[in-house]
Amino acid sequence: MGFIRGKEVEVVKNAPLKDPIQYRILGYDVSLRRSDAQLIDVVSAAEYAEEQKAAGDRPIDQYILPSDEELRNIALKKGKIINVALVGNPNCGKTSLFNFASGAHEHVGNYSGVTVDAKEGTFQHKGYTFKIVDLPGTYSLSAYSPEELYVRKHLNEEQPDVVINVVDASNLERNLYLTCQLIDMDERMVIALNMYDELERQGNKFDYESLSRMLGIPMIPTVSRTGFGIEALFDRVIQVYEEADPILRHIHINYGDILEKGIKNINATLKKVADIPTSISKRYLSIKLLERDKEVETEIKNFPQAESILQERDRNTSQIEELLKQDCETAFTDARYGFIDGALRETFQRNKIREVTSTQLIDTFVTHKILGFPIFILFMWIMFEVTFRVGEYPMGWIEWLVGVIGDFMRNTMSDGPLKDLLVDGIIGGVGGVIVFLPNILILYAFISFMEDSGYMARAAFIMDKLMHKMGLHGKSFIPLVMGFGCNVPAIMASRTIESRNSRMITMLILPLMSCSARLPIYVLLSGAFFPKQAGSVLLMLYLAGIFLAIIMARVFKRFLFKEEDVPFVMELPPYRMPTGKSIMLHMWEKAKQYLHKMGGVILVASIIIWFLSYFPLHSPEEAEIDRQIAQVEQVGELSSEQQETLSLLEHHKATVHQKNSYIGMIGEALQPILSPLGFDWKMSVSLMTGMAAKEVVVSTLSVLYVGEADDEGSPQLDKMMKEDTYDDGTPVFTPLVALSFMLFVLIYFPCVATVSAIVHESGSWKWGLFVIGYTCLLAWAVSFVVFQAGSLFIALFL
């Protein structure tokens, strides 16, 4: 229509109803609706003045208009948006490159399947706006895994302007296989030879410029960890986008006479079909048809001449398989690797002096058949012990700060519901949970280190046999360990498991992995009732979750998912020392999520819980206690015995008020179900509110117990819990009750977000409801056995 960069546009007039608008461009008039015209970027004289003013080049005279050439130069720079897709194998440094280039804070993990969805970022470079998409890591563009299908679909449907194929320079042969498939798709590419420093450190020599000319694809050495070569990479992307790169050309990989003949025959048939989009390479479709790709077959069946196309495909595949004595997909795979081998023979020279790498040295111990398990368990124990012991110090500082804020509000505000809401509801509820932020950050630091260093993949390798006994993959172990951080991304990470049965079992048992939201409850109770063995109790709880997950996986495999699994194949990447920046970014992201939850779900829940525990204000029982308190206070100066009586009456009043409050009524209704587990009404209520988010359990206990604070300030929650008693004087919380409670929290109802993720990933509400049902029943059964058996043991032997 003539609306191209650098051409003058003149507004002629508006239609009588102000829409459409008549424009003059390239010597002819054109009418555009106002909504459509807004999609076209235009540089005006006013915008020119603003730009000059911002640049401070020279004083601006509003009466002097810019020249046509000046406006044209601005227009040529404006609106240049380049859509870039990052495609590469897992562990090739793709997400690190994305983070460095776009400034995004996506977490980087050194194992397959960290990126289970596309991540988008935008940044400016040399007058261009780059919209960059980090696609899931994939080894090929076949139709076996969700990642492969996702990447292929994105490239076909979104059609990015330029694809950056991120290649691990230290493992060229494997990484270039994906490059060959991108060449078949006729994608405009730039290859980032990432981790080039590792190639040089190994003493290998690579003439990438020669290979670049051979493939017709620009290649740029990069080290995304440090940022080396990133600017040069995007300079080259601009050249490719502007079609000004001297190397860029499209080639066809020669697959040999027999395969090429089959491609040619099917290609000729496809050209007769007018409905196939011109943007999709027909050569690529021909290859995928010969490989019997199910997704492409499904697409082809929608065309009118589908039957003739598939008949031609069948005829050619039969001929190829008869001549080559192997199926077509294997033939193409061999041909691609043959092409790669030939190209690397001319351009790549491997260092013949083979040295023992640090990875091989570390794996001698870490993956040893005897030492592997003890090292893994030791690492997990250190993780939990440090989480508790080191976390105690900043936890105490935050607790002190929360207490100071609470005391300030208590001493400066006049008595009334608003004061009680702020002090007991908001500060007591949210403050009771925020103190555990350091523990969660320490836990995520350890998990981040395991992911980034490559140890997570070794943990999957060590656990594969156990996973297989459960009817799962070694790959299932990665989402299960991620579940220690948060169940929601762990459920999403289960997409990397090829077998649907293994994927479903993994999702169903993931809620038994103790996420960081449960950690505040463990730290609170284990610190109060098991102060000397807190780290060991934490480890025991996590191991209990793993043990229960094994049992339930066996049950699900036996009764729900009986089909055989697919083989376990997973890359063991080289060890890499994680950067402090990567770990800190990961911790910062989790801190933001946690604090966001403080100001959202937990704040709202704390206010609701406070309201339910505060009202109704007065009852006949409380009035009678008030009368007794008044009688004691009439005496004047109180003796120590009278002060103790007064303290008991006030404590009794607080207890009666809580029992008669709305939340007390709810707790009393739940009491018959949970009393066999050793839980009182306060614990019952906290478990009910914890269904929204597990941190709310601590928040609820804080709000309920803060009502018993004396005038000297609010005592620590753990102290109040230890001092709480029933009417007959027996303690509400004991070490056995605390253990039963922690086990119940470990197992029961996963949070709403986790249930939603299971529903989304499984594609059915029934699995979300199933998880809710089985976890609640299992939690009740386990806590019942622990509490009743423990009580019996104590009665008989202690």
Side-chain angles (χ1 to χ4, degrees), residues 38-341:
Q38 287 175 347
L39 301 175
I40 301 171
D41 285 325
V42 179
V43 177
S44 64
E47 188 172 346
Y48 167 81
E50 283 295 322
E51 181 167 314
Q52 294 300 311
K53 185 177 179 181
D57 289 345
R58 60 176 184 267
I60 303 300
D61 191 328
Q62 59 179 328
Y63 300 106
I64 300 176
L65 294 177
S67 67
D68 290 344
E69 186 61 28
E70 287 174 315
L71 284 174
R72 184 175 181 277
N73 289 336
I74 297 173
L76 287 172
K77 292 180 181 177
K78 185 177 178 179
K80 292 186 178 181
I81 298 173
I82 306 178
N83 294 300
V84 176
L86 292 181
V87 180
N89 287 189
N91 306 313
C92 68
K94 184 169 48 61
T95 305
S96 295
L97 191 151
F98 172 80
N99 287 346
F100 191 93
S102 66
H105 295 163
E106 293 306 330
H107 178 52
V108 184
N110 189 15
Y111 63 89
S112 173
V114 173
T115 313
V116 292
D117 247 329
K119 308 295 188 299
E120 297 183 2
T122 303
F123 69 99
Q124 305 288 330
H125 179 65
K126 293 193 175 178
Y128 291 81
T129 299
F130 284 86
K131 289 187 176 179
I132 185 168
V133 178
D134 177 23
L135 294 172
T138 178
Y139 293 105
S140 73
L141 296 177
S142 303
Y144 292 120
S145 71
E147 288 81 14
E148 291 170 343
L149 291 173
Y150 190 99
V151 172
R152 206 165 76 182
K153 184 178 179 183
H154 181 91
L155 295 177
N156 284 330
E157 294 181 2
E158 301 300 325
Q159 295 179 10
D161 298 316
V162 181
V163 170
I164 295 180
N165 178 206
V166 186
V167 168
D168 180 355
S170 63
N171 200 333
L172 289 168
E173 185 175 11
R174 187 199 65 200
N175 280 247
L176 288 173
Y177 184 85
L178 179 60
T179 307
C180 291
Q181 292 184 311
L182 291 169
I183 290 171
D184 289 337
M185 291 184 75
D186 197 12
E187 296 289 346
R188 285 202 297 179
M189 265 192 293
V190 177
I191 293 177
L193 292 169
N194 204 27
M195 304 180 195
Y196 201 77
D197 55 337
E198 290 190 15
L199 179 144
E200 293 178 324
R201 191 162 52 244
Q202 292 167 4
N204 301 326
K205 294 181 180 179
F206 181 36
D207 185 0
Y208 63 87
E209 292 178 346
S210 294
L211 183 60
S212 178
R213 289 190 294 272
M214 192 185 303
L215 298 178
I217 304 169
M219 290 184 171
I220 308 296
T222 61
V223 182
S224 57
R225 186 168 45 86
T226 62
F228 170 78
I230 304 296
E231 185 174 351
L233 175 68
F234 285 97
D235 287 345
R236 209 60 181 265
V237 170
I238 293 171
Q239 283 186 279
V240 170
Y241 174 74
E242 297 287 3
E243 297 183 351
D245 194 284
I247 289 176
L248 186 69
R249 64 189 174 90
H250 178 61
I251 66 164
H252 285 164
I253 296 172
N254 191 318
Y255 289 110
D257 293 341
I258 296 172
L259 290 174
E260 286 294 334
K261 183 179 178 182
I263 295 170
K264 184 179 178 181
N265 292 338
I266 297 176
N267 202 357
T269 307
L270 288 173
K271 285 181 179 177
K272 299 174 185 176
V273 181
D275 296 333
I276 296 177
T278 55
S279 58
I280 300 177
S281 165
K282 292 182 175 59
R283 176 179 171 85
Y284 163 73
L285 288 177
S286 302
I287 293 169
K288 298 316 280 180
L289 282 169
L290 286 171
E291 290 180 332
R292 294 191 179 276
D293 187 288
K294 298 297 181 186
E295 289 294 314
V296 171
E297 278 188 28
T298 304
E299 291 174 21
I300 292 296
K301 286 176 182 176
N302 295 325
F303 299 130
Q305 297 92 334
E307 190 175 342
S308 62
I309 295 171
L310 293 176
Q311 283 177 354
E312 181 66 19
R313 188 276 310 272
D314 292 339
R315 185 179 69 81
N316 281 276
T317 51
S318 297
Q319 288 181 356
I320 291 168
E321 289 171 1
E322 185 178 342
L323 291 168
L324 297 180
K325 305 301 181 186
Q326 59 182 351
D327 64 87
C328 281
E329 188 175 10
T330 304
F332 275 106
T333 300
D334 290 347
R336 288 190 187 104
Y337 277 117
F339 173 78
I340 294 167
D341 183 59

Side-chain angles (χ1 to χ4, degrees), residues 43 163 188 238 366 445 587 650 683 689:
V43 177
V163 170
R188 285 202 297 179
I238 293 171
V366 168
M587 292 169 64
E650 288 175 345
M683 288 183 252
T689 57

Side-chain angles (χ1 to χ4, degrees), residues 569-584:
V569 179
M570 192 183 72
E571 180 188 0
L572 294 177
Y575 288 105
R576 296 187 177 100
M577 180 55 68
T579 61
K581 180 182 177 183
S582 171
I583 292 176
M584 292 303 294

